[in-house]
Amino acid sequence: MRDERLVQLAKTLVNHSVELKENEKVLISGSVIAKPLMKEIIREVYRIGGLPFLDLKDDELLVEIVKDSTERTAEIQKGWMERKLEDLDAFIFVRVNENDAEMSGVPSEILQQYGKVIRSVNTRIMNERKWVLLNYPTPAAAQKAKMGTEQYEDYLLEVCSVDYEKMAEKQKPLVELMERTDRVRLVAPNTDLSFSIKDIPVVASHGKRNIPDGEIFTSPVKDSVNGTITFNTPCPYRGVTFNNVSLTFKDGKIIEATSDNTEKLNEILDSDEGARYIGEFAIGLNPLINNPVGDILFDEKINGSIHFTPGQAYESADNGNRSMVHWDMVLIMKEAFGGGEIYFDDQLIQKNGIFQPAELQGLNPEQLVKKEEKVQV
């Protein structure tokens, strides 16, 4: 029996996220586990007159490819990907989490070598093509979220169903305010961080690149970050989850980094020069995502949160930082998580996860949720 929620999600991905047009070519990439959704995407692409292509993935097989790879094999792989890119207008990436530690046994130097070569293709996709990324519900993801499999499936499909057109309209006042802002200050337990976002582009995200979505992002001026930030959610990266991550900055650079795995944390931050500078600052806005589930695609959208990202800046909100690392780290500033405040040029913008200025209150969860929706507890 077809799940009408998947039918609707496929329509959102094809028509809203990548805005596929007649005769445009789209690559649908994912695991065979996500077949029910991928079938609906293919049907929707054909329905609107597009041309679907398929790329099946398997994490266990990818480990076998990567772990004994050389720079030469990575360069060949990059060449294949570049030629494929020339034929395509859009990408829909359906990510399947069976074991997010699958890559943890691959030596760091091999991962870094492979990632460095492949990065240029991924950058071209991000900046030159229409694309969207989402996760498909699996028992492994449900376990990480501490939910039953069916409960997690219902949760995922609900948080993906936000009214993104409404969200886009409500985001405009915050975008305009951030575009006028110079100095930002974040204050929370074990956190007092200041930086500038002056003249850096501001981007509103409402279902065009990620599903679920709901954030507004920019970048700090590269050398402007000073102070300390301590994250109160798990920070997963390449199969390793870090807890109690705390970063201290001087003139933009991370000069001290600690966690429950400080040695590994610093190994990642030493991947290249840009990994110790910040490439993104964002405010989470999804009204249906309230608690971390251990998946950054969800956790970075938690309403009342911010994320701060060591590594590569997006070209759409560029501060010039370049790195093979892009590591979103989430700080929830709601009262239940210890509270916190966001200041723009000394004006209190958000307190304990609630926007304070009248013009921004449309972004608070009760305003963004449709009447028939209920905020998750």
Side-chain angles (χ1 to χ4, degrees), residues 107-153:
S108 295
E109 62 272 16
I110 298 293
L111 275 177
Q112 290 178 13
Q113 174 184 270
Y114 190 82
K116 184 177 181 180
V117 173
I118 300 301
R119 186 181 70 190
S120 63
V121 182
N122 292 333
T123 299
R124 286 190 61 194
I125 291 173
M126 285 193 296
N127 295 306
E128 299 176 14
R129 296 294 186 271
K130 299 184 291 185
W131 60 273
V132 65
L133 169 69
L134 75 156
N135 286 354
Y136 190 78
T138 64
Q143 183 178 39
K144 188 162 58 173
K146 297 180 173 57
M147 297 182 190
T149 300
E150 186 173 342
Q151 178 190 11
Y152 180 75
E153 180 179 307

Side-chain angles (χ1 to χ4, degrees), residues 30-36 38 56-58 96:
S31 164
V32 70
I33 293 170
K35 182 166 60 175
M38 295 169 76
L56 291 178
K57 300 288 189 182
D58 184 285
V96 172

Side-chain angles (χ1 to χ4, degrees), residues 33-254:
I33 293 170
K35 182 166 60 175
L37 175 58
M38 295 169 76
K39 283 171 65 175
E40 298 300 341
I41 295 171
I42 292 168
R43 289 167 176 167
E44 181 63 17
V45 170
Y46 275 132
R47 190 190 69 80
I48 62 104
L51 303 172
F53 297 88
L54 193 61
D55 181 22
L56 291 178
K57 300 288 189 182
D58 184 285
D59 286 348
E60 289 184 61
L61 294 179
L62 182 59
V63 168
E64 296 302 316
I65 291 290
V66 173
K67 71 180 185 180
D68 292 315
S69 67
T70 64
E71 186 172 358
R72 178 174 177 270
T73 57
E75 287 286 354
I76 293 171
Q77 177 73 19
K78 183 180 79 167
W80 289 351
M81 294 169 69
E82 286 175 334
R83 289 191 289 275
K84 183 162 55 177
L85 178 62
E86 298 305 321
D87 286 332
L88 296 164
D89 301 293
F91 293 79
I92 298 176
F93 299 103
V94 184
R95 193 166 62 183
V96 172
N97 174 22
E98 293 183 85
N99 178 2
D100 65 1
E102 199 71 66
M103 285 284 183
S104 61
V106 179
S108 295
E109 62 272 16
I110 298 293
L111 275 177
Q112 290 178 13
Q113 174 184 270
Y114 190 82
K116 184 177 181 180
V117 173
I118 300 301
R119 186 181 70 190
S120 63
V121 182
N122 292 333
T123 299
R124 286 190 61 194
I125 291 173
M126 285 193 296
N127 295 306
E128 299 176 14
R129 296 294 186 271
K130 299 184 291 185
W131 60 273
V132 65
L133 169 69
L134 75 156
N135 286 354
Y136 190 78
T138 64
Q143 183 178 39
K144 188 162 58 173
K146 297 180 173 57
M147 297 182 190
T149 300
E150 186 173 342
Q151 178 190 11
Y152 180 75
E153 180 179 307
D154 291 341
Y155 167 78
L156 183 147
L157 292 173
E158 181 176 14
V159 302
C160 289
S161 68
V162 171
D163 184 341
Y164 290 114
E165 298 295 339
K166 179 179 180 180
M167 179 183 285
E169 189 63 29
K170 296 286 188 180
Q171 287 175 329
K172 290 179 181 177
L174 181 53
V175 170
E176 293 168 1
L177 176 59
M178 291 175 71
E179 288 174 338
R180 300 193 303 269
T181 295
D182 178 359
R183 292 172 292 111
V184 177
R185 185 183 179 199
L186 309 177
V187 180
N190 302 308
T191 293
D192 193 342
L193 191 75
S194 299
F195 52 93
S196 173
I197 58 172
K198 186 177 182 180
D199 298 328
I200 305 291
V202 179
V203 180
S205 296
H206 38 257
K208 297 295 185 181
R209 292 290 180 263
N210 290 171
I211 296 286
D213 207 355
E215 67 173 280
I216 294 177
F217 69 90
T218 183
S219 297
V221 174
K222 185 175 176 180
D223 61 359
S224 71
V225 187
N226 284 284
T228 297
I229 184 168
T230 303
F231 299 95
N232 56 10
T233 67
C235 299
Y237 190 80
R238 290 182 179 169
V240 180
T241 297
F242 299 80
N243 296 289
N244 305 315
V245 174
S246 184
L247 307 177
T248 298
F249 295 81
K250 182 177 181 182
D251 298 332
K253 186 175 183 178
I254 299 170

Side-chain angles (χ1 to χ4, degrees), residues 327-354:
W327 189 355
D328 296 315
M329 298 180 176
V330 177
L331 170 60
I332 304 174
M333 306 180 82
K334 296 191 287 190
E335 191 168 13
F337 291 83
E341 292 126 32
I342 301 175
Y343 296 89
F344 288 172
D345 293 328
D346 298 323
Q347 178 189 6
L348 179 62
I349 299 302
Q350 192 187 82
K351 182 178 178 63
N352 296 338
I354 302 298

